[in-house]
């Protein structure tokens, strides 16, 4: 990459939020400056004094997390509160003391203590293994405090800027302010990474997986193009500002879109919201959506040790159903615990390959009561709120699984469906449709399993891309099966939130698109500008492309000229 101050160049990555931003680069440090560490390491402290110094630093880090938690909500607040507790954990303190007593200097003792926890957490798997990133985050922050440096991570830029980072931790993203963070560029991370999800929620133009991003000198003017996935260094300032202004004008036109979802020639396509709890459902209910296409019930229980009673579950689900009880409908997904969403009372621990293990519907194989109680609670909430309620199962791999689940749901008088996330289910969609009322394609997992690429693996972003032709083929097979069966087939993975891909999906025959509330207007407005026959052409060119970049380019040329 060229870093000379007056040379223009372009970096490429995976586009996440389709919008443009122009501003100076602010680099987010994820490590403490090595010279500060070297100076401190040379200073030397007696074990007693060292432990006291550690306690003060750990408490300050914990307080910092607690303050951020107060300002955050939902899952972000939970993560931050858990980190606040972990930073001042007595066990961690004990481990540091032990290593100090064994003669290690303070920084080495902190590292050894944290590593001891990392080993234990990793060995426990599931929920605990997920906390290893947080442990490393805590270690970096404590070390920064000890050596008298600011804690690493995102400090709000003083003037509007583009943040450039290796990747962002949950604690970094909790306080991002779109007023000063014009754009986000990360060296690592894929379209389903934490950074991508938060950028989408906040509507910040974002490109992830940008090789060479961290080598960009601080202050370099950047044009972030979240539509094409490019980051231009030192573009012509007037031209860049013009493009950003044109993009903003177009986006504000999109913001006035008010539904209902349809193509330019009036073919109806339901535009729905993805929600996690009552709070997000109430917020989404004010967007121009026709309902909820994905209520991720497991997200209500990430911090629960024990299974809530049927009554408690019914009241939690009732909050979401109640927000949409007005002629709209809600698709409730049964617990998708396990792998990237560990739930203490359901997840199997110690699996070697949790993404391929006992997760989602598979949890009910050895514990049918778990599913039965959840379905009972959903039915109670549906009866209490009067909301039209559809229920679907995640991680379905066979027709028999779909049939068994569907029979249980139909007995309760509710509409039954399954998610298409496993290639086997997509290939047999026509058979699955014989036993269910609807399908919903989870493109995040369908991409992961089709491409054999962990959706959390930051180095595999080019594979975990829903524009991959093989993934598009499976979606097309599923949509066509729905068309022939005369039953709805929706998409509720992140693919539905990409306005261009949304047109492709509709061209394949998908009947609903469910997404984060922030994506509703851009997607709805784009779809409203494209007639159905052009959506079909877009599907055809995307399906015949050989890779995601070619598919994106071909569809962009066709739809945007
Ligand atoms: C998906 O896999 O696309 C999906 C919607 O489910 P989740 O992202 O919750 O796994
Ligand atoms: Mg999934």
């Amino acid at each position: 990459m060229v870093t000379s101050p007056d040379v223009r160049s372009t970096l490429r990555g995976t586009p996440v939020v389709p919008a443009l931003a122009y501003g100076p680069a602010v680099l987010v440090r994820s490590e403490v400056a090595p010279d500060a560490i070297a100076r401190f390491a040379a200073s030397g402290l007696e074990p007693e004094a060292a432990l006291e110094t550690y306690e003060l630093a750990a408490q300050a880090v914990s307080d910092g997390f607690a303050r951020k938690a107060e300002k955050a909500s939902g899952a972000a607040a939970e993560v931050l509160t858990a980190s606040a507790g972990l930073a001042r954990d007595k066990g961690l303190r004990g481990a540091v003391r032990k290593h100090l007593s064994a003669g290690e200097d303070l920084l080495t003792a902190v590292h050894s203590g944290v590593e001891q926890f990392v080993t234990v957490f990793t060995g426990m798997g599931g929920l605990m293994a997920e906390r290893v990133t947080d442990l490393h985050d805590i270690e970096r922050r404590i070390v920064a405090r000890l050596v008298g440096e600011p804690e690493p991570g995102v400090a709000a830029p003083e003037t509007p800027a583009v943040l450039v980072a290796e990747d962002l931790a949950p604690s970094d993203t909790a306080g991002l302010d779109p007023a000063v963070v014009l754009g986000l560029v990360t060296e690592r991370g894929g379209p389903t990474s934490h950074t991508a999800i938060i950028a989408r929620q906040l509507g910040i133009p974002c490109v992830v997986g940008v090789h060479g991003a961290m080598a960009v000198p601080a202050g370099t003017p950047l044009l972030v193009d979240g539509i094409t996935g490019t980051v231009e260094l030192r573009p012509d300032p007037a031209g860049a500002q013009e493009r950003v202004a044109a993009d903003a004008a177009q986006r504000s036109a999109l913001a006035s879109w008010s539904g209902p979802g349809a193509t330019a020639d009036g073919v109806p396509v339901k535009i729905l919201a993805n929600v996690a709890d009552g709070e997000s459902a109430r917020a989404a209910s004010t967007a121009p959506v026709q309902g909820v296409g994905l209520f991720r019930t497991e997200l209500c229980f990430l911090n629960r040790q024990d299974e809530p009673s049927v009554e408690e579950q019914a009241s939690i689900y009732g909050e979401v159903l109640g927000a949409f009880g007005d002629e709209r409908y809600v698709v409730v997904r049964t617990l998708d615990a396990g792998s990237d969403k560990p739930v203490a009372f359901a997840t199997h621990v110690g699996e070697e390959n949790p993404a391929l293990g006992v997760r989602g519907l598979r949890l009910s194989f050895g514990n049918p009561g778990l599913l039965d109680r959840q379905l009972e609670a959903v039915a109670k909430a549906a009866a209490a709120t009067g909301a039209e309620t559809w229920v679907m199962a995640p991680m379905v791999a066979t027709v028999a699984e779909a049939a068994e689940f569907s029979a249980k749901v139909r007995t309760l008088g509710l509409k039954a469906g399954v998610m298409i996330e496993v290639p086997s289910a997509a290939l047999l969609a026509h058979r699955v449709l014989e036993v269910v009322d609807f399908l919903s394609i989870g493109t995040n997992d369908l991409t992961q399993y089709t491409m054999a690429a962990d959706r959390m693996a930051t180095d595999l972003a080019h594979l975990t891309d829903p524009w991959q032709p093989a993934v598009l083929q499976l979606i097309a097979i599923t949509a066509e099966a729905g068309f022939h069966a005369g039953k709805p087939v929706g998409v509720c993975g992140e693919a539905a939130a990409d306005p261009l891909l949304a047109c492709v999906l509709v061209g394949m025959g998908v009947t609903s698109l469910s997404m984060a509330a922030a994506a509703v207007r851009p997607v709805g407005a784009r779809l409203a500008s494209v007639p159905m026959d052009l959506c079909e052409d877009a599907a055809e060119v995307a399906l015949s492309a050989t890779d995601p970049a070619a598919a994106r380019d071909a569809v962009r040329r066709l739809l945007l000229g």
Side-chain angles (χ1 to χ4, degrees):
M1 194 204 58
V2 183
T3 55
S4 155
D6 45 346
V7 178
R8 293 182 188 152
S9 55
T10 299
L11 304 177
R12 286 178 192 284
T14 306
V16 171
V17 175
L20 267 63
Y22 174 60
V26 167
L27 271 83
V28 178
R29 286 178 317 117
S30 59
E31 300 301 333
V32 183
D35 53 337
I37 292 184
R39 275 197 307 277
F40 180 84
S43 72
L45 276 173
E46 289 304 313
E48 277 300 301
L51 189 62
E52 261 175 46
T53 314
Y54 166 80
E55 280 168 355
L56 288 173
Q59 188 61 49
V61 168
S62 171
D63 292 347
F65 280 125
R67 276 194 301 277
K68 281 188 180 176
E70 271 170 27
K71 290 193 204 136
S73 64
E78 280 162 24
V79 169
L80 291 164
T81 306
S83 288
L86 199 50
R88 51 163 203 280
D89 186 87
K90 286 205 173 67
L92 185 55
R93 178 186 175 277
V96 172
R97 190 184 48 202
K98 205 178 82 203
H99 287 283
L100 284 171
S101 312
E104 289 181 10
D105 67 72
L106 179 50
L107 296 188
T108 312
V110 170
H111 181 68
S112 308
V114 168
E115 280 310 302
Q116 205 173 311
F117 264 57
V118 166
T119 310
V120 173
F121 280 23
T122 308
M124 288 163 90
L127 178 66
M128 300 315 276
E130 296 285 328
R131 307 297 324 270
V132 165
T133 321
D134 301 333
L135 273 171
H136 286 135
D137 188 29
I138 288 166
E139 179 185 347
R140 278 195 299 270
R141 288 170 189 277
I142 292 179
V143 168
R145 291 256 168 198
L146 289 174
V147 304
E149 286 276 296
E151 284 185 29
V154 182
E158 294 188 352
T159 51
V162 173
L163 285 190
V164 180
E166 188 78 32
D167 200 1
L168 295 177
S171 61
D172 289 331
T173 47
L176 284 187
D177 177 2
V180 281
V181 179
L182 300 174
L184 279 173
V185 175
T186 61
E187 172 108 21
R188 293 157 68 82
T192 51
S193 65
H194 188 79
T195 304
I197 289 169
I198 296 288
R200 241 176 243 120
Q201 247 172 42
L202 298 175
I204 299 177
C206 174
V207 183
V208 299
V210 180
H211 184 63
M214 289 306 281
V216 170
T220 306
L222 299 180
L223 177 63
V224 181
D225 187 335
I227 304 165
T228 58
T230 55
V231 179
E232 289 176 39
L233 279 67
R234 310 175 191 93
D236 162 51
Q241 270 150 2
E242 221 167 86
R243 283 175 59 192
V244 170
D247 171 67
Q250 199 193 14
R251 277 196 286 150
S252 83
L254 297 189
S256 61
W257 182 80
S258 58
T263 59
D265 51 340
V267 178
V269 177
K270 292 199 172 78
I271 302 287
L272 308 167
N274 289 354
V275 305
D277 52 20
E279 191 185 332
S280 58
R282 283 186 290 276
S285 73
T286 61
V289 292
Q290 284 146 284
V292 168
L294 172 63
F295 168 20
R296 290 181 162 104
T297 56
E298 66 283 350
L299 297 186
C300 302
F301 307 122
L302 289 182
N303 61 349
R304 296 292 296 248
Q305 292 307 307
D306 303 310
E307 184 187 338
S309 65
V310 169
E311 283 64 33
E312 194 185 344
Q313 288 190 53
S315 125
I316 291 169
Y317 306 149
E319 282 200 40
V320 172
L321 297 183
F324 284 86
D326 50 355
E327 309 276 290
R328 298 190 277 184
Y329 72 109
V330 175
V331 182
V332 180
R333 173 173 77 185
T334 55
L335 275 188
D336 187 22
S339 191
D340 56 320
K341 293 178 290 269
V343 172
F345 61 82
T347 306
H348 283 218
V349 290
E351 290 185 316
E352 298 235 334
N353 279 313
L356 301 178
V358 184
R359 60 166 291 202
L361 180 68
R362 298 169 181 187
L363 286 163
S364 69
F365 297 170
N367 183 3
L370 187 67
L371 176 62
D372 292 342
R373 288 185 291 276
Q374 184 176 28
L375 291 178
E376 191 186 336
V378 173
K380 271 184 188 253
T385 57
E388 182 177 339
T389 306
W390 302 16
V391 189
M392 67 182 180
M395 276 297 285
V396 171
T398 70
V399 178
E401 287 169 14
E404 196 181 328
F405 177 80
S406 178
K408 284 188 182 198
V409 174
R410 285 176 175 166
T411 308
L412 296 165
L414 303 173
K415 258 198 186 176
V418 296
M419 291 188 74
I420 299 294
E421 301 182 287
V422 183
S424 61
L427 292 167
L428 292 182
H430 60 295
R431 303 276 307 279
V432 177
L433 278 161
E434 288 168 8
V435 297
V436 300
D437 303 315
F438 69 97
L439 298 178
S440 182
I441 306 173
T443 46
N444 308 336
D445 277 315
L446 184 61
T447 305
Q448 148 163 279
Y449 296 126
T450 304
M451 303 307 297
D454 183 345
R455 62 192 266 185
M456 310 302 278
T458 51
D459 298 330
L460 300 177
H462 60 294
L463 294 177
T464 50
D465 185 332
W467 286 85
Q468 280 285 353
V471 178
L472 295 179
Q473 284 289 352
L474 290 173
I475 296 171
I477 288 171
T478 308
E480 193 176 336
F483 175 77
H484 287 299
K487 293 183 179 178
V489 172
V491 170
C492 64
E494 296 293 317
D498 172 341
L500 287 187
L501 189 47
C503 297
V504 169
L505 299 172
V506 168
M508 288 174 177
V510 160
T511 56
S512 68
L513 299 163
S514 191
M515 64 207 74
V520 162
R521 287 184 172 89
V523 169
R526 172 64 60 215
L527 193 61
S529 73
V530 182
M532 189 59 169
D533 58 353
L534 201 51
C535 288
E536 285 167 359
D537 291 348
E540 205 174 305
V541 298
L543 282 164
S544 51
T546 47
D547 61 59
R552 273 194 186 91
D553 281 349
V555 170
R556 193 178 314 114
R557 272 197 306 276
L558 184 70
L559 300 187
L560 307 182

